[in-house]
Amino acid sequence: MILQHAYRPILNFFYDKITFRLNDRTRKIILFVCFFAIFAAQFTSQYIFKFDGFNRGIRDYFICLMMGIIILVSVDRKLEIVKWNLWTYIPFTVTGLLLLIASLDHEMGPAYQAFPLAMLVAFMCLFYVWGNRRDYEVLFDAAAGAYTLFTAILLVVCFIKYPAESSSYLSYDLQYAPFGINPNGTTKVFITGIVAGMYLLVKSLPKVLFIGISLVVGGSAITVILTKCRAGEIILILLCVLIIVYGIMRLQKAGENRKAAVQKGVAGILLVLSGCIIAWVMLFSIGSTVLKDKSQNNSEVQSTYEISSGTVEESRTDEENITRQDKIDQKLGASMNELYQNPKIQQLDWFMAGRLSIWNVYFQNMTWRGCSELMFYDTEYAHNQYIELSYKAGIPTGIIYLLFNLIAGIMALVLFFKRKDAAGLVMLSVFLMFFTISMLDTGILPFERGFIFLYYIVLTPLFVKKRENSRV
């Protein structure tokens, strides 16, 4: 709350001197371009440059610049002090403060020092500005539109350069992995495009945009299905259920326009299915003409541990000669041997691709203060954001961050049924996407991945206390 008193005079000064001259159309265009630049920077830094040259530091500075521009052009009036919704404000800021303390105490991993500043400064300032405006769909339109266009570009590149059968992560099974990304990473990129496109489709759009976005959603759905990522499959099912419920609510509200609503819904479904078919044909027809060369993947997909009758054999015991990979094998092996005493847990762990074993290792090494040592090769290898934060920044941090997201999810669910509009749909759909991935996969930094960044954007209405006679 204190920072509002610092933001207010600065942003009002820029508004008086510069940004008051911008009309609404110009503001929307700048928002769109900045969001597109952020999503492109996140993708290219991680998957094209592999953090070589265009590294995390440069990426974070660039995103901060774009965020600053977004905040400045979002100010369309004199800003006043707003009242925060304490249900979200308190756990969010406490998490940010705990992360800040942990980042000063020990090294948590690449880009973690920027994490609490992104939460406490960049996003809180954005929430403050839009808490004054409250026309949140303008913000959502820009972010969703930018990501949908970005997804469309990626799909075209996939059709041209990454046919399905020659872009598989595995040599013995098809798991689509373009751009050198593993299937889980591919799912995170394209499932976000589905959510963004789904939000735009329920709004009033010109026919050309409606057709184009529907095809992008269908193509993204096929891409996610081809990855065979469990988290992606779960999210697709949840999104299908959500859009059906949304459609029923809109029909009840449509009244005399019910026929037009039905026609739009049917047209949207047919176009999305057409997008699925087009994407399937493009990926496999091109793939059939390309020689399969999967030998390079063999070394990447070898298991880090061997399972034999529910136990793991550790090949070395000499501590001086054990490599880092051997240490990982030993940690996982000990965890699996402990868990696999129960056959049901063993079967569940196999179904979850060894996540229970990984989580057990983290649980055994958690502290109240947090740790700087990498548990595995990757700082996000826990495949659960709350376990990851509990290990890196301390147990209270992980618990409070989980509590914050559960509160946000409940509030998004209430607003979905209360509003019955596109804003309510996008808040709940993005939450379902984010929370599913956060429980089962990697990704914790909002500046690092598009699906997390979009989640923080759609949280905006949840931070501002509701006014009288207002739905949010």
Side-chain angles (χ1 to χ4, degrees):
M1 292 184 181
I2 298 175
L3 287 178
Q4 289 191 51
H5 297 280
Y7 297 145
R8 182 185 177 189
I10 296 172
L11 294 175
N12 282 340
F13 172 82
F14 276 97
Y15 175 71
D16 289 335
K17 300 298 182 181
I18 303 173
T19 56
F20 81 94
R21 296 182 175 90
L22 300 176
N23 57 42
D24 289 342
R25 178 178 174 80
T26 302
R27 293 177 191 276
K28 291 177 182 179
I29 292 173
I30 295 174
L31 287 175
F32 180 90
V33 172
C34 288
F35 277 123
F36 184 87
I38 289 172
F39 295 132
Q42 290 173 330
F43 183 87
T44 54
S45 176
Q46 184 167 3
Y47 297 124
I48 305 300
F49 289 91
K50 312 292 184 183
F51 299 125
D52 184 13
F54 190 14
N55 57 36
R56 288 181 173 91
I58 296 174
R59 178 204 63 198
D60 289 350
Y61 283 125
F62 176 79
I63 293 176
C64 284
L65 174 62
M66 293 298 102
M67 284 284 288
I69 296 173
I70 288 171
I71 290 169
L72 288 176
V73 301
S74 295
V75 181
D76 67 346
R77 68 199 68 190
K78 284 281 191 176
L79 298 179
E80 302 295 338
I81 300 300
V82 300
K83 292 183 179 180
W84 296 119
N85 182 346
L86 299 182
W87 284 100
T88 49
Y89 176 80
I90 290 177
F92 187 82
T93 52
V94 170
T95 300
L97 290 172
L98 290 175
L99 282 169
L100 181 61
I101 294 171
S103 68
L104 297 174
D105 179 68
H106 59 272
E107 177 64 36
M108 292 190 292
Y112 265 82
Q113 288 183 332
F115 187 15
L117 297 178
M119 295 177 68
L120 298 173
V121 179
F123 285 105
M124 287 306 300
C125 188
L126 184 75
F127 299 157
Y128 168 59
V129 171
W130 285 89
N132 273 267
R133 291 187 51 160
R134 298 189 182 244
D135 51 345
Y136 301 112
E137 288 196 32
V138 175
L139 179 66
F140 297 166
D141 288 351
Y147 201 93
T148 303
L149 175 60
F150 178 66
T151 305
I153 294 172
L154 293 184
L155 281 173
V156 172
V157 176
C158 287
F159 296 158
I160 297 172
K161 191 175 180 181
Y162 298 101
E165 293 179 328
S166 61
S167 301
S168 177
Y169 188 67
L170 300 177
S171 60
Y172 54 86
D173 188 23
L174 175 60
Q175 281 191 300
Y176 191 49
F179 302 100
I181 313 173
N182 63 39
N184 291 349
T186 302
T187 291
K188 294 168 197 169
V189 171
F190 286 98
I191 201 73
T192 311
I194 296 174
V195 171
M198 190 172 75
Y199 160 71
L200 295 174
L201 288 177
V202 301
K203 298 173 68 69
S204 297
L205 294 173
K207 288 184 179 180
V208 175
L209 282 180
F210 185 79
I211 293 171
I213 293 172
S214 298
L215 296 178
V216 170
V217 171
S220 300
I222 282 298
T223 304
V224 171
I225 290 171
L226 290 176
T227 65
K228 298 182 180 178
C229 170
R230 290 182 178 88
E233 293 168 350
I234 292 171
I235 296 169
L236 282 177
I237 294 171
L238 292 174
L239 292 179
C240 287
V241 173
L242 183 63
I243 198 65
I244 290 172
V245 174
Y246 178 80
I248 294 172
M249 291 193 307
R250 291 300 296 175
L251 284 177
Q252 293 175 344
K253 190 178 179 180
E256 295 179 359
N257 297 323
R258 186 170 298 175
K259 182 178 179 180
V262 171
Q263 290 176 342
K264 180 181 178 180
V266 172
I269 292 172
L270 291 177
L271 286 169
V272 169
L273 292 176
S274 298
C276 293
I277 295 171
I278 292 171
W280 183 277
V281 171
M282 292 294 292
L283 290 172
F284 282 94
S285 64
I286 295 177
S288 62
T289 64
V290 180
L291 294 177
K292 300 176 183 178
D293 183 13
K294 301 176 183 176
S295 59
Q296 60 182 357
N297 293 326
N298 291 340
S299 61
E300 298 177 3
V301 299
Q302 291 179 351
S303 176
T304 58
Y305 47 82
E306 298 177 357
I307 302 175
S308 176
S309 302
T311 61
V312 177
E313 299 294 333
E314 297 171 358
S315 58
R316 301 183 187 179
T317 56
D318 187 353
E319 186 67 26
E320 294 181 356
N321 295 325
I322 293 179
T323 63
R324 179 152 182 77
Q325 181 62 50
D326 293 326
K327 291 180 180 179
I328 293 173
D329 291 345
Q330 286 188 343
K331 290 177 182 178
L332 288 173
S335 176
M336 293 170 69
N337 287 331
E338 177 183 343
L339 291 176
Y340 288 7
Q341 301 298 320
N342 187 327
K344 292 184 179 180
I345 295 181
Q346 178 179 349
Q347 293 177 358
L348 180 60
D349 193 40
W350 285 355
F351 175 76
M352 296 182 67
R355 281 168 171 74
L356 293 182
S357 300
I358 295 172
W359 295 346
N360 189 41
V361 174
Y362 273 87
F363 280 129
Q364 293 173 351
N365 290 272
M366 284 182 186
T367 65
W368 292 99
R369 178 180 175 184
C371 303
S372 59
E373 180 185 0
L374 299 185
M375 184 63 66
F376 300 105
Y377 283 122
D378 195 321
T379 57
E380 299 176 341
Y381 197 76
H383 287 276
N384 182 295
Q385 292 189 21
Y386 314 103
I387 294 175
E388 180 71 31
L389 271 186
S390 296
Y391 174 75
K392 302 297 294 185
I395 294 173
T397 309
I399 293 174
I400 296 172
Y401 188 56
L402 174 60
L403 179 63
F404 161 74
N405 286 296
L406 290 174
I407 292 172
I410 294 171
M411 293 177 65
L413 181 64
V414 172
L415 286 175
F416 171 72
F417 287 104
K418 183 178 180 179
R419 293 181 62 103
K420 299 183 177 67
D421 63 0
L425 175 66
V426 74
M427 281 189 279
L428 185 55
S429 60
V430 172
F431 169 79
L432 292 175
M433 172 187 66
F434 170 83
F435 194 72
T436 302
I437 296 175
S438 72
M439 293 296 291
L440 299 173
D441 217 316
T442 60
I444 199 166
L445 306 173
F447 282 1
E448 189 121 320
R449 299 177 186 270
F451 79 94
I452 308 175
F453 189 87
L454 187 62
Y455 174 64
Y456 278 64
I457 293 298
V458 302
L459 288 178
T460 305
L462 306 183
F463 275 84
V464 184
K465 195 170 184 180
K466 184 177 71 171
R467 290 174 180 168
E468 294 295 330
N469 301 320
S470 173
R471 291 183 296 178
V472 219

